[in-house]
Amino acid sequence: GVLYDRLIPRELLAQAPPEARLIFVGKRAGHHPKPQPEINQLLLDHVRAGKRVVRLKGGDNFMFSRGGEELLALTKAGLPFEIVPGLTSAIGVLAFAGIPLTQKGINSSFTILTGHEDPKKPVTMLNWQRLAQQETLVLLMAVRKLPHICQALLAAGKPAETPVAMISWGTTDHQRVLTGRLDDIVGRYQANRLPTPAIIVVGEVVRLHKQLAWHQPYGLADGFVGEEQETAVSPLPMPTVARVGAGPGAAGRVKVRGLGRLRQAGGILHDRLVNPQLLTEAKAGASVINVGKSDKRERYPQAEINRLLVAHGGTGKRVVRLKGGDPFVFGLGGDECLALRAAGIQYEIVPGLSSVTAVPGSLHIPLTHRGVNAGLTVMSGHVAPSKNEKQWRHLPEHTTLVVLMGLRKLP
């Protein structure tokens, strides 16, 4: 059996066995045909009946998806389960819009929030005074609250000229991006009325959208389940360079599209943390170059990696830049894309699982849980404390903190 959400691509459901029972348990704002307790019970009933069940989530299991509640129900009933981490829209959608979550010289942290906080809460978990101090904010399920969010951030001292982007139907062939400033994005949205689902991004990284935007929606592909679009899928050819997120750990965590790009490539530049087994998927004759870095070794400085990408791409060879994680999360992806754009070389981003979500998910640690926290803050531990002192001093309350590359700075 497959219990699936609203934001699932139709072509993915087509992969289920013919005999599998497909049960739609999706929700949208103000419309919950199956309340969460009923979804929990459906899971229990199907597992107890001896069936293999997939709970298919539109994004990651533990990012504002009630995944923790469903697993607690299974645990309480003594029923076994596994977690297969997914790609959260907070990462994938921004990548398709050409907006790096992190960019050297602009930010070393970001905070992901829900704009759909439970209205029954007596006290909000969102401290706008602290949130206004954060470098980058990504707000999910927040379109209805856009006027309140902008007003709250402005009142808390966020500069009026702060760039804002709204990304509608991200990663699909119906994607639309609307940009503006914190003080005018509400008016721009009211004039354009982008359809949901949509994500809101606040911060200086939004300025890179015009330079790095690469996805050209043609309006030809399927929509999500539960939507009206029913048109045919139009596969697009591989551009000269594909920046592919390999995901952390197991080779099987690379996305289907990324694996396809890897098998097509004539040249592969890969990071240190890419699973060696994944490299065996390269076609015969492909050149494979390890450009990985570590604390003790930097065989290829970033400027040289940029040069290699441009040089290989300039020959007309199909190139994959294989990242151990996601290309736009502390991966210097923006730098490499800017170099390619300056050289006039076409590229695409194939988002990957980030260790930010995949590692806690593999350990059954929900990054968000209803009633416990309102979001997630991610920081680099590889930055001198003096450079991001402001972020440490104003860490948002009621958010889970994840620090990457921070073991040496733990004390």
Side-chain angles (χ1 to χ4, degrees):
V2 180
L3 280 66
Y4 65 95
D5 280 357
R6 168 177 164 246
L7 301 182
I8 301 294
R10 300 175 191 279
E11 54 266 38
L12 184 57
L13 287 178
Q15 300 297 314
E19 67 277 10
R21 184 182 176 192
L22 304 181
I23 304 174
F24 178 67
V25 294
K27 307 168 186 174
R28 67 173 185 268
H31 183 63
H32 296 183
K34 283 188 169 35
Q36 190 59 47
E38 188 175 339
I39 297 173
N40 296 352
Q41 191 59 49
L42 276 170
L43 271 174
L44 298 179
D45 292 345
H46 279 70
V47 176
R48 283 169 174 158
K51 297 177 182 178
R52 294 187 183 276
V53 182
V54 167
R55 176 66 175 101
L56 196 57
K57 303 293 297 183
D60 181 76
N61 296 283
F62 285 157
M63 287 293 291
F64 307 112
S65 65
R66 313 290 289 270
E69 295 173 61
E70 294 174 6
L71 296 191
L72 284 173
L74 290 167
T75 300
K76 186 176 180 180
L79 300 174
F81 59 83
E82 71 168 341
I83 303 297
V84 180
L87 180 63
T88 174
S89 59
I91 291 175
V93 168
L94 268 67
F96 266 67
I99 300 175
L101 259 175
T102 62
Q103 173 69 15
K104 192 170 185 177
I106 294 180
N107 69 331
S108 59
S109 66
F110 57 91
T111 296
I112 305 172
L113 301 167
T114 174
H116 199 58
E117 190 179 23
D118 187 351
K120 296 179 182 178
K121 288 181 181 177
V123 179
T124 180
M125 288 187 176
L126 301 176
N127 183 330
W128 294 107
Q129 291 292 328
R130 293 199 174 197
L131 291 171
Q133 304 300 318
Q134 302 310 302
E135 296 172 308
T136 303
L137 298 176
V138 181
L139 296 114
L140 312 183
M141 303 172 287
V143 172
R144 289 189 177 188
K145 301 284 184 67
L146 180 63
H148 168 72
I149 290 166
C150 293
Q151 183 181 15
L153 288 172
L154 288 167
K158 196 77 170 172
E161 64 274 16
T162 303
V164 181
M166 298 183 69
I167 311 161
S168 167
W169 277 58
T171 78
T172 76
D173 236 359
H174 303 281
Q175 175 176 300
R176 292 171 61 190
V177 181
L178 178 69
T179 59
R181 298 165 28 130
L182 192 58
D183 62 352
D184 70 8
I185 192 66
V186 172
R188 289 174 180 265
Y189 167 67
Q190 290 171 345
N192 289 273
R193 289 292 175 184
L194 272 62
T196 58
I199 286 178
I200 300 167
V201 190
V202 181
E204 292 299 318
V205 290
V206 170
R207 296 192 193 277
L208 293 170
H209 163 68
K210 289 184 179 180
Q211 295 173 269
L212 300 183
W214 60 271
H215 179 50
Q216 299 295 326
Y218 294 96
L220 299 175
D222 274 352
F224 301 118
V225 294
E227 306 294 347
E228 295 180 358
Q229 286 82 352
E230 289 272 7
T231 48
V233 175
S234 177
L236 300 177
M238 177 177 174
T240 304
V241 176
R243 301 196 76 259
V244 175
R253 284 185 172 158
V254 68
K255 298 303 177 186
V256 173
R257 187 173 186 173
L259 185 59
R261 296 315 197 207
L262 182 63
R263 289 168 174 168
Q264 292 176 278
I268 299 167
L269 280 66
H270 69 90
D271 280 358
R272 178 174 66 96
L273 296 181
V274 168
N275 191 308
Q277 184 182 346
L278 189 57
L279 297 174
T280 65
E281 298 288 344
K283 68 180 183 181
S287 60
V288 180
I289 305 173
N290 181 358
V291 295
K293 305 169 186 176
S294 68
D295 287 341
K296 297 180 180 178
R297 179 180 64 85
E298 190 174 273
R299 183 185 303 172
Y300 291 93
Q302 188 58 48
E304 178 65 10
I305 296 173
N306 296 352
R307 190 196 67 78
L308 281 170
L309 268 177
V310 170
H312 280 69
T315 65
K317 181 188 297 185
R318 298 189 186 279
V319 181
V320 162
R321 175 67 172 101
L322 196 58
K323 301 292 296 182
D326 179 81
F328 273 172
V329 180
F330 302 113
L332 292 173
D335 286 12
E336 294 176 8
C337 289
L338 286 170
L340 291 167
R341 180 57 54 87
I345 296 174
Q346 285 189 319
Y347 62 87
E348 71 171 345
I349 307 298
V350 182
L353 287 176
S354 170
S355 58
V356 168
T357 55
V359 172
S362 297
L363 297 172
H364 303 170
I365 301 173
L367 288 173
T368 65
H369 192 80
R370 191 177 179 89
V372 175
N373 65 334
L376 165 72
T377 296
V378 182
M379 300 190 70
S380 169
H382 203 55
V383 176
S386 58
K387 291 185 178 181
N388 58 5
E389 181 182 351
K390 182 179 179 181
Q391 275 62 53
W392 285 112
R393 193 169 63 249
H394 296 282
L395 277 175
E397 298 170 315
H398 307 297
T399 66
T400 302
L401 175 63
V402 177
V403 180
L404 304 186
M405 303 172 288
L407 197 56
R408 289 191 172 190
K409 304 279 182 67
L410 183 60

